[in-house]
Structures are given as C-alpha cells and as structure tokens.
Amino acid sequence: MGKPISRSHSLLLHKPSSPPLSTTSSSKISFQSRKIRKLSTNKTTSTTTAITSTSIPHLKPLSHKGEIELALDHLSKSDPLLAPLLNSHEPPALNPCTSPFLSLTKSILFQQLATNAAKSIYTRFLTLCDGESQVNPDTVLSLTAQKLREIGVSGRKASYLHDLAEKYQNGSLSDASILEMDDDMLLNRLTKVKGIGVWSVHMFMLFSLHRPDVLPVGDLGVRKGVQSLYRLKNLPQALEMEQICEKWKPYRSVGSWYMWRLMEAKALANKAAKKT
C-alpha cells in the first residue's frame, strides 16, 4: 500500500521507511495505480468502544483478486467521511510478495536512512550475497560484521541481521510460519528480533504480507490523517485511534493508506499555495 507520510514510501501504496518521525514521502515499494471509481456513501452506525489489537482470522491478503474492491465498498459504507478520499484517489494495487526473510532484511537495512543512501547500501548488500535469491539465513550469517561495515552497514544493524538469521536457523521463525501466524502472534514473535519494533512489524504486515486489518497507531502520517479527517483538536493517541478506526474493520490497512494519501494531498496543496 502507499507509504505513510511519516516518511511515506510510495507503493503506489506508500510505505514509510523508518519509524514515524517526519511527514514526507519517499521510497517506493509498489502499489500500481488503478482507475478511480465512484463509491456509494451509505451511512452505517459505528461504534467507538475501547479495544485492543485483535486478529480476524481467514481474511485474504489484499493482493488477492477482488479484496481491494471489497475493502473500498466496506469503507465507503461504514465511514461516510472517507468517501471523498476514496473517490478522489486511485485505489491501491499491490505487487506480489517477496519472501518474508528478504523483506525483513531489507526493512532492517533501510531503518533510519535517507532513501538514496539505503538503496545504495542495499544494492551493495545484494552484491555481497550474490543476488536477492541468495539472501537467506545461511548467507547472512556468513557475512561478518566487518564485511557488512565495509558496505556501509553499522555494527548495530549487523547484529540485527544476524539475530534475525539466527532465529530462522533455530526454528523460532520461518517464512512458512510467518505466513501462517495471525497478526497478534506475528507482532509478538517479530518484536523479539533485535531492531524490529511494533512500527516495523506493522509496515511489514501492510506492505510485504498485504494483511488487510493493520492499524499502525504509532505512525505519524496515519495519526495526522485521522486528526485531519475527523477534525480533532489534538493528535490522537493509540487508544483513540483504535476507537475511531473501529468502523474500518476488517480493512483498517486500506483506511490507513488513505490517511497517508490525505496528508500527501494537504502537503501538495500547501506547497502550491506558497508559490502563489
């Protein structure tokens, strides 16, 4: 999906490249654009009771045929305030998933770096591994911290990469198990990896696994989008985000994507206004 505006990445879904610190758009992951279509604005009653993160089983990934359309129909009916955004922005289109291990490795390498710098390091890393197809736990563990430093990877990130690879080798994680875990279990297991926090897991679930019901409550772009859409006085905190966005379930990932688009549109409008 599109990246967030907390350093949003463009997918044409954009995803943020680092924890929620700023509100600019950057690296591309890739949601290809589609034709804009009008949606109904039927109103339905929504509840905003306090909730905790829960997983809804048996939902298909958003990249599955027809899932984006189902999400847009649901959001247009459950939240009339979203209808103008759904009608004025192209819907997200997801690219095929890569292996979870490769995606998590790339996430670690891109952390806290400007997009161009991260891409340069990642390209050198792939050369060191002999291509993306060879990025696996054994290969990563064969790379010493010194070798990784020589291509621009910090000692701390090298330890993160090694910890991820070790958890794959000892069976704590695997590509197959990651694909099978529900959202809560996945969050619990991946945050045990050094260097991977809640925000990183949310981005991984959104942009690599295409999970449909992820609400990144710590992402600045999504929080600002909710604040703007609902005309809130203050930036919403996690619990308020959960309450307000309850009506988006089970497609909070798509609702979040539109929050990034909303903030991008506002940034462009402000930029254009300054030129006049």
Side-chain angles (χ1 to χ4, degrees):
M1 293 207 232
K3 286 186 241 193
I5 288 209
S6 25
R7 277 196 199 172
S8 321
H9 295 265
S10 99
L11 287 139
L12 282 181
L13 251 201
H14 303 195
K15 141 191 176 180
S17 55
S18 57
L21 298 173
S22 67
T23 56
T24 58
S25 171
S26 58
S27 89
K28 297 189 174 179
I29 293 183
S30 73
F31 279 136
Q32 300 168 352
S33 60
R34 294 197 209 155
K35 184 186 285 186
I36 299 173
R37 66 191 185 87
K38 295 293 180 180
L39 298 166
S40 66
T41 58
N42 297 342
K43 296 184 180 181
T44 60
T45 303
S46 63
T47 59
T48 56
T49 55
I51 60 171
T52 55
S53 175
T54 57
S55 298
I56 301 177
H58 310 309
L59 286 175
K60 297 174 183 176
L62 289 171
S63 48
H64 192 278
K65 184 177 180 180
E67 287 305 300
I68 290 293
E69 286 75 13
L70 288 175
L72 295 177
D73 287 340
H74 169 77
L75 292 171
S76 67
K77 294 172 182 175
S78 65
D79 190 349
L81 288 179
L82 271 180
L85 285 175
L86 303 183
N87 289 331
S88 61
H89 293 275
E90 295 178 346
L94 300 162
N95 278 350
C97 303
T98 58
S99 85
F101 183 79
L102 175 62
S103 296
L104 290 168
T105 299
K106 185 174 183 179
S107 174
I108 289 171
L109 290 171
F110 270 67
Q111 285 177 5
Q112 303 293 339
L113 293 176
T115 302
N116 288 340
K119 285 181 176 179
S120 178
I121 290 173
Y122 184 65
T123 298
R124 295 196 291 269
F125 174 77
L126 292 182
T127 299
L128 204 57
C129 293
D130 199 23
E132 281 193 338
S133 64
Q134 298 304 310
V135 178
N136 56 57
D138 289 340
T139 300
V140 171
L141 286 173
S142 73
L143 302 175
T144 65
Q146 178 58 37
K147 280 186 178 179
L148 290 168
R149 277 196 293 270
E150 289 172 0
I151 62 168
V153 179
S154 69
R156 184 170 57 180
K157 283 190 179 180
S159 73
Y160 297 165
L161 293 172
H162 288 157
D163 188 58
L164 173 65
E166 286 168 0
K167 284 181 168 54
Y168 263 73
Q169 275 205 336
N170 67 27
S172 298
L173 292 171
S174 69
D175 281 358
S177 66
I178 284 174
L179 294 175
E180 291 297 321
M181 290 179 199
D182 66 25
D183 293 354
D184 289 337
M185 175 64 76
L186 189 56
L187 183 64
N188 178 272
R189 296 290 287 278
L190 288 183
T191 51
K192 286 181 168 60
V193 178
K194 292 179 181 177
I196 295 181
V198 173
W199 183 88
S200 295
V201 177
H202 283 160
M203 296 304 104
F204 172 68
M205 290 194 293
L206 273 162
F207 301 111
S208 296
L209 302 183
H210 308 157
R211 296 282 175 96
D213 196 39
V214 180
L215 179 66
V217 294
D219 185 85
L220 183 58
V222 174
R223 293 172 66 199
K224 284 189 171 183
V226 170
Q227 180 186 22
S228 175
L229 184 66
Y230 294 97
R231 300 181 183 277
L232 303 178
K233 181 178 180 181
N234 300 313
L235 198 62
Q237 299 301 313
L239 180 58
E240 187 177 8
M241 289 280 291
E242 291 273 10
Q243 294 172 338
I244 291 172
C245 300
E246 168 78 3
K247 62 176 75 69
W248 297 352
K249 281 187 170 186
Y251 295 110
R252 292 180 296 177
S253 297
V254 178
S256 298
W257 184 81
Y258 278 98
M259 295 303 94
W260 289 319
R261 304 293 76 74
L262 171 61
M263 296 313 298
E264 285 178 348
K266 289 174 71 72
L268 288 173
N270 289 337
K271 186 175 180 180
K274 289 179 180 179
K275 289 183 178 180
T276 58

